[in-house]
Amino acid sequence: MEMASLLRFRTSRDYSLVGPETAKAIESGLASGEWYKTPIERKLLKSLMQRSDGPALRDTAIWLGLLAILGTAGTLLAGSWWAVPVFALYGVLYASAADSRWHECGHRTAFKTTWLNDVVYVLASFMLLRSPTAWRWSHARHHTDTIIVGRDPEIAGMRPPQLIIMALNFLGLVNVPQSLMTQVRYAAGRLNDEEKSYIPETERKKVTREAWAILAIHGGAVVLAVATQSLVPVLLIGLPNVYGIWLLALMGLTQHLGLAEDVLDHRLDSRTVYMNPVLRFIYWNMNYHVEHHMYPTVPYHALPALHEAIRHDCPAPMRSLFAAWGEMLPAVFRQLNEPGYFISKELPPGAGQPAQRGR
Amino acid sequence: MANWTRACGVEDIDLEDVGRFDHAGRVFAIYRAPDGQFYATDGICTHEHAILSDGLVMDHLIECPKHMGRFDYRSGAARGAPVCVALRTYPVRVEGDDVLIDLG
């Protein structure tokens, strides 16, 4: 394999949301299609969907409490080598854990109380340099058209895979500058055509206001760092998206990478991976990703029970994060030279028939 | 002109739950509120194609099963992004063990 092939920035298919693949997805019925769902008896589903404030209040208190303790300890230890492991932990809890809080609260399933979902959603969005409004609409589209080329704005593993970009994003080195530039653009009131395709006109002014807030908060941290001649303010706010995002990349890329595109069946385009309780706390059970996409109304704390209810109809889950990467890496390297290749998940005997696949 | 049509039986829907009613190529959602009152709306979300009777009833809200947009099923009003457009509602009455909705 030539090194040059690792640095491809063009894809063989057009992944934009306003190009020829968009029209093809609509024509073929893949856009806003009917997705396969494993049948679940209504009473069981209703019990799984029930909301409760308890688990998320407990987990959020632990999360914010640890951030406060580690942030204070890191500040007090600044200048000593002891600050390094403290900030390493702080960064992971700040950036990698914020993503799952952003995600669950964006769905408004984490808490029963709506305003609690909204408060944690906005907090986590700002921590991750994301516009709460723009991302709410982007993620809605991701759920409507999961890994449908030309429709889904959140496809992380395009073909051929952008391996250098993926690798750099273990340190946020592409995402962070991109996010900052996006916020500057939003602050100027400019949305591109793709964003306009999924953010309604009535919501766009909110995007501008949020961008000003995000830039003010992060600009304030930079000003404070310069004024105090200390890195601590930016180590606390903003830079965790560089030094603490690696765990999210490690867990998050397992969601869809290497799997089928253009299929109306989450069993074939999403991956469930068993993880230990610490990772599941940080990731708020998003490792049960087939389950989450098939029944997004089920809150994170009920996903293990949902997994048990539908596993007879789903591909075998990956036994560990290590196993998931063991499946993904050979596939993405193969996709460098064979972009049409994907991992074809095997359904168990007796499983429901796969929904429409391909175009 | 009223067009009262039987949608379901009273006991077909639990308290604080929703059921589906298909009629003349259309889909409706029939709700039984926590106080036992019945309500009816169109059965497809106004945001994107999703069957509301697969969603979750919380007090007087129905949450869409696809994107978790919410409506007050008593008035049809949109109560949370990504839904922005209200649902159409229909008059409901109970006669004996039957729940009727007015499609007129």
Side-chain angles (χ1 to χ4, degrees):
Chain A
M1 187 184 308
E2 294 174 23
M3 273 307 288
S5 65
L6 296 173
L7 246 177
R8 287 182 189 163
F9 294 92
R10 283 182 177 278
T11 54
S12 54
R13 294 186 74 181
D14 176 14
Y15 283 83
S16 85
L17 307 185
V18 289
E21 294 290 349
T22 308
K24 283 186 205 166
I26 294 168
E27 281 163 22
S28 63
L30 284 168
S32 302
E34 285 284 341
W35 286 77
Y36 177 83
K37 279 188 175 188
T38 300
I40 297 185
E41 200 252 324
R42 173 76 188 165
K43 280 198 190 310
L44 173 60
L45 180 59
K46 199 178 152 188
S47 73
L48 291 170
M49 289 192 292
Q50 287 308 309
R51 304 297 154 73
S52 159
D53 285 335
L57 277 174
R58 177 200 63 209
D59 290 345
T60 304
I62 294 171
W63 176 50
L64 295 178
L66 285 172
L67 280 174
I69 291 166
L70 291 166
T72 305
T75 303
L76 295 173
L77 292 167
S80 122
W81 283 106
W82 288 107
V84 174
V86 171
F87 272 115
L89 271 176
Y90 174 87
V92 165
L93 283 171
Y94 182 107
S96 292
D99 179 82
S100 56
R101 276 69 186 166
W102 161 85
H103 178 264
E104 293 306 291
C105 294
H107 281 296
R108 295 203 176 101
T109 52
F111 297 92
K112 182 174 185 177
T113 306
T114 304
W115 70 263
L116 285 171
N117 283 311
D118 291 345
V119 165
V120 176
Y121 178 65
V122 170
L123 172 70
S125 298
F126 281 17
M127 290 164 78
L128 294 162
L129 295 161
R130 294 176 188 169
S131 156
T133 299
W135 275 89
R136 189 184 292 284
W137 288 93
S138 156
H139 200 64
R141 175 68 75 81
H142 173 62
H143 272 265
T144 303
D145 296 319
T146 313
I147 321 298
I148 303 295
V149 177
R151 292 285 295 177
D152 185 349
E154 298 182 8
I155 298 180
M158 298 173 184
R159 299 189 210 152
Q162 320 284 290
L163 288 188
I164 294 293
I165 293 175
M166 276 186 212
L168 291 172
N169 273 334
F170 274 74
L171 289 173
L173 295 178
V174 177
N175 272 346
V176 170
Q178 229 168 30
S179 300
L180 285 170
M181 285 188 290
T182 300
Q183 294 308 326
V184 170
R185 184 163 55 77
Y186 287 168
R190 294 204 314 270
L191 271 69
N192 63 33
D193 288 343
E194 291 195 321
E195 290 154 350
K196 285 177 186 169
S197 79
Y198 58 79
I199 303 172
E201 190 128 19
T202 51
E203 298 283 288
R204 294 178 191 166
K205 279 191 178 154
K206 274 196 247 172
V207 174
T208 301
R209 286 198 299 270
E210 289 161 0
W212 278 107
I214 290 169
L215 291 172
I217 291 165
H218 290 84
V222 172
V223 167
L224 197 60
V226 172
T228 58
Q229 297 282 295
S230 164
L231 272 176
V232 168
V234 285
L235 285 171
L236 290 172
I237 296 172
L239 274 186
N241 287 298
V242 172
Y243 70 82
I245 204 74
W246 62 270
L247 185 57
L248 172 62
L250 199 65
M251 297 188 294
L253 282 171
T254 67
Q255 293 177 356
H256 307 286
L257 193 64
L259 298 173
E261 293 174 341
D262 298 336
V263 54
L264 299 177
D265 194 329
H266 294 115
R267 298 172 302 172
L268 306 176
D269 70 8
S270 306
R271 184 183 280 108
T272 285
V273 182
Y274 287 159
M275 293 185 190
N276 67 46
V278 173
L279 291 182
R280 288 199 287 116
F281 169 79
I282 291 170
Y283 202 28
W284 262 12
N285 283 340
M286 269 308 101
N287 50 306
Y288 294 104
H289 216 64
V290 173
E291 292 79 359
H292 167 65
H293 269 283
M294 202 182 276
Y295 288 103
T297 42
V298 173
Y300 76 95
H301 49 81
L303 286 176
L306 175 61
H307 171 66
E308 291 304 322
I310 67 169
R311 60 182 300 181
H312 64 277
D313 197 41
C314 295
M318 304 310 296
R319 307 302 301 180
S320 66
L321 199 49
F322 185 76
W325 278 91
E327 175 185 77
M328 292 186 321
L329 280 178
V332 293
F333 279 111
R334 185 168 166 184
Q335 285 174 343
L336 287 173
N337 294 313
E338 204 182 318
Y341 175 76
F342 62 91
I343 300 161
S344 185
K345 283 288 184 183
E346 195 178 326
L347 295 171
Q353 286 300 300
Q356 180 186 352
R357 180 188 286 219
R359 297 189 179 185
Chain B
M1 196 174 127
N3 175 17
W4 290 100
T5 305
R6 183 185 185 277
C8 60
V10 168
E11 297 306 319
D12 291 343
I13 303 174
D14 291 341
L15 281 177
E16 201 172 19
D17 204 1
V18 57
R20 174 175 175 162
F21 171 52
D22 290 67
H23 181 74
R26 294 169 64 192
V27 182
F28 302 90
I30 315 295
Y31 308 88
R32 193 174 185 186
D35 61 5
Q37 288 283 315
F38 283 89
Y39 298 88
T41 69
D42 275 335
I44 309 282
C45 182
T46 58
H47 169 232
E48 285 186 4
H49 186 86
I51 303 294
L52 290 173
S53 54
D54 291 337
L56 178 66
V57 175
M58 291 174 286
D59 202 6
H60 290 108
L61 296 176
I62 173 68
E63 184 182 76
C64 171
K66 190 125 189 159
H67 302 106
M68 282 67 86
R70 292 172 180 179
F71 301 93
D72 185 327
Y73 55 78
R74 296 169 299 180
S75 63
R79 287 281 184 254
V83 297
C84 305
V85 178
L87 278 173
R88 184 176 170 187
T89 59
Y90 299 87
V92 177
R93 75 175 190 222
V94 174
E95 277 188 8
D97 292 336
D98 296 327
V99 179
L100 311 178
I101 70 171
D102 180 6
L103 302 175

